[in-house]
Amino acid sequence: AVFPEINRLRHELARLAQKGVRLASDGTGKTLYVLSEIGDVWELEIASGNLRQILWASRYLEKRAGDLGGPLFVLGLARDREGRLYIGANQQNEAKLPVQNIVTIYRTTTVVDGQPAEPKIWFQTSYPGNSAYVHGLEHLAFGPDGMLYVGNGARTDGGTTASTDPKWWVGGETPITACIWRLDPRAARPEIEVFARGIRNAYGFCWNDRGEMIATENGPDAHAPEELNVIERGRHYGFPYTYGDWGAKKAYPHTPDAPADLEFTQPIPNLGPDGGFRGEPLATFDPHSSPAGIVFLGDDFPTGYRGTYVLARFGNLIKTERDSGFDVLRATLSRDAAGNYQAHVHTVLVGLGRPIDVHLSGRGKIYILEYSRGTNNATPFQLPGRVLELAVKTP
């Protein structure tokens, strides 16, 4: 095993009653918050493994006439320094055509029995929906600057404008899709600042000890590599014009031509030995492996782990020659001769049930959230997943 200490000390902390999508905490290693795909939030006591529901989606999610089956998905969860929880939801609505995807961030407003309670709408915006490819709000996290960063994905697979149904908009992306936003938590009604563009769906991002933002990104249905990127303000990361290390190669006949003056920031190349490496550098992971949550391991981890990144890969949803993902990887970044990052990628754990998020809380502890128990693409999404604890011994 690559991480013998981790493999020896991992254990199942809890089996979930619902399919979980995000973890949050105050970092003390006492309590985790688990967000389910329907918007319920559960408190998980780490010492005992006890689960207790503290927020009910039916009590706080906004309902409006014209909803297409209620919330499309609820994927964002973060906790601020004041102990408030932020929950990000997406909801397609056809009350006014074309159908809109309504993005809402709820923020808790009080404390009940020691836990955050009574979420209210803090932020809301909308843009045209799509019958198949709206990624919407996918991640919330507070940066070192105290600002709330929001991963808001693409509304198309690859920039297509085609539609045969008049209720769906026939445009491609909008100025606020396929990008990362920055919001001010001090504002009563925050305004969107677009921090970076050209990002199909940054399902996970974190910051290292130098304040650099590192994000995972899933590729298209086309057989393109998945990405790991250094996200910098004002830069463009290629979507929908290019993917991975493809350069000028187009994913689809309908892929638009890139503006002549648009400069792309390239993903981090993977130098192996794992994560899709096949003897030549890859930018960055196997196609369709679905890299998701990511964390940076700081000074509370021992030498060999300190300064590296641990990320979950949800696993392929498209049938491929062989399954990819369903694992947790470690990425060690270094600079090449030109000063650009490159990654050595090692496998930490394999055979997991759709791992979707990773989270740090307490010293030397990594928590992994499984969405469901299926460990390959042929397994149905039936039983909800688990929370696993990985403990690393310090010398």
Side-chain angles (χ1 to χ4, degrees), residues 368-383:
I368 297 173
L369 175 63
E370 290 179 325
Y371 174 76
S372 67
R373 291 299 303 124
T375 58
N376 58 63
N377 193 40
T379 308
F381 290 96
Q382 292 179 338
L383 293 177

Side-chain angles (χ1 to χ4, degrees), residues 13 30 39 49 63 82 115 154 175 182 197 209 216 230 245 251-252 257 261 268 272 279 305 318 327 332 356-357:
L13 188 60
K30 296 179 180 178
K63 302 294 190 297
E82 298 178 35
Q115 295 300 339
R182 185 163 66 172
R197 298 185 182 276
D209 54 1
T216 60
V230 182
D245 48 15
Y252 304 105
D257 294 327
D261 59 347
I268 299 171
Y305 309 97
I318 292 176
D327 56 16
T332 303
I356 195 169
D357 201 15

Side-chain angles (χ1 to χ4, degrees), residues 13-343:
L13 188 60
R15 296 190 180 189
L16 302 177
Q18 299 174 347
K19 294 184 178 73
V21 290
R22 287 293 178 190
L23 296 174
S25 77
D26 64 359
T28 63
K30 296 179 180 178
T31 300
L32 295 174
Y33 298 105
V34 185
L35 173 69
S36 76
E37 66 176 351
I38 65 171
D40 291 343
V41 178
W42 299 71
E43 173 201 44
L44 173 55
E45 185 179 71
I46 293 174
S48 67
N50 290 334
L51 278 165
R52 177 172 70 100
Q53 188 169 355
I54 61 170
L55 296 176
W56 285 258
S58 61
R59 300 177 186 176
Y60 75 85
L61 283 180
E62 183 182 28
K63 302 294 190 297
R64 55 174 73 81
D67 287 349
L68 298 181
L72 176 61
F73 48 85
V74 185
L75 282 175
L77 182 68
R79 183 184 185 277
D80 68 11
R81 295 168 184 170
E82 298 178 35
R84 298 174 296 190
L85 290 180
Y86 294 69
I87 303 168
N90 303 271
Q91 195 172 36
Q92 294 219 76
N93 181 276
E94 61 177 355
K96 179 181 179 181
L97 298 182
V99 173
Q100 295 290 298
N101 183 59
I102 301 172
V103 175
T104 306
I105 299 177
Y106 300 87
R107 184 167 70 181
T108 57
T109 57
T110 188
V111 174
V112 175
D113 295 332
Q115 295 300 339
E118 297 183 16
K120 305 293 184 185
I121 294 174
W122 173 67
F123 167 86
Q124 192 167 80
T125 191
S126 65
Y127 46 80
N130 188 307
S131 60
Y133 281 109
V134 170
H135 293 103
L137 185 154
E138 296 182 301
H139 188 35
L140 302 172
F142 284 94
D145 57 1
M147 302 290 276
L148 182 64
Y149 289 77
V150 180
N152 188 68
R155 61 167 301 277
T156 68
D157 178 41
T160 181
T161 59
S163 176
T164 58
D165 189 332
K167 73 181 182 182
W168 302 106
W169 189 54
V170 296
E173 297 303 320
T174 77
I176 61 171
T177 56
C179 55
I180 292 176
W181 308 337
R182 185 163 66 172
L183 306 178
D184 188 348
R186 298 167 298 183
R189 291 289 180 265
E191 299 290 331
I192 294 174
E193 174 196 348
V194 175
F195 189 76
R197 298 185 182 276
I199 302 165
R200 184 175 180 269
N201 55 343
Y203 196 87
F205 42 81
C206 65
W207 290 262
N208 61 26
D209 54 1
R210 295 174 296 283
E212 296 169 321
M213 186 180 188
I214 308 295
T216 60
E217 181 180 353
N218 294 188
D221 284 0
H223 201 63
E226 316 278 52
E227 298 184 11
L228 187 67
N229 289 294
V230 182
I231 304 297
E232 297 180 312
R233 186 178 185 181
R235 291 187 177 269
H236 195 290
Y237 291 83
F239 178 86
Y241 311 108
T242 185
Y243 301 92
D245 48 15
W246 276 12
K249 177 182 175 181
K250 290 191 173 185
Y252 304 105
H254 64 254
T255 297
D257 294 327
D261 59 347
L262 186 58
E263 181 179 350
F264 300 133
T265 299
Q266 300 301 312
I268 299 171
N270 176 1
L271 305 185
D274 299 327
F277 182 78
R278 301 288 185 268
E280 296 182 357
L282 174 71
T284 307
F285 305 113
D286 311 64
H288 315 303
S289 58
S290 304
I294 183 171
V295 292
F296 174 74
L297 306 186
D299 291 341
D300 50 342
F301 286 84
T303 302
Y305 309 97
R306 185 182 309 137
T308 68
Y309 302 80
V310 168
L311 63 110
R313 295 199 300 171
F314 187 79
N316 56 296
L317 295 167
I318 292 176
K319 184 176 176 57
T320 56
E321 183 178 342
R322 59 180 175 181
D323 283 342
S324 58
F326 301 91
D327 56 16
V328 171
L329 304 177
R330 174 176 62 106
T332 303
L333 304 189
S334 61
R335 301 280 187 179
D336 63 16
N340 300 313
Y341 272 130
Q342 55 192 3

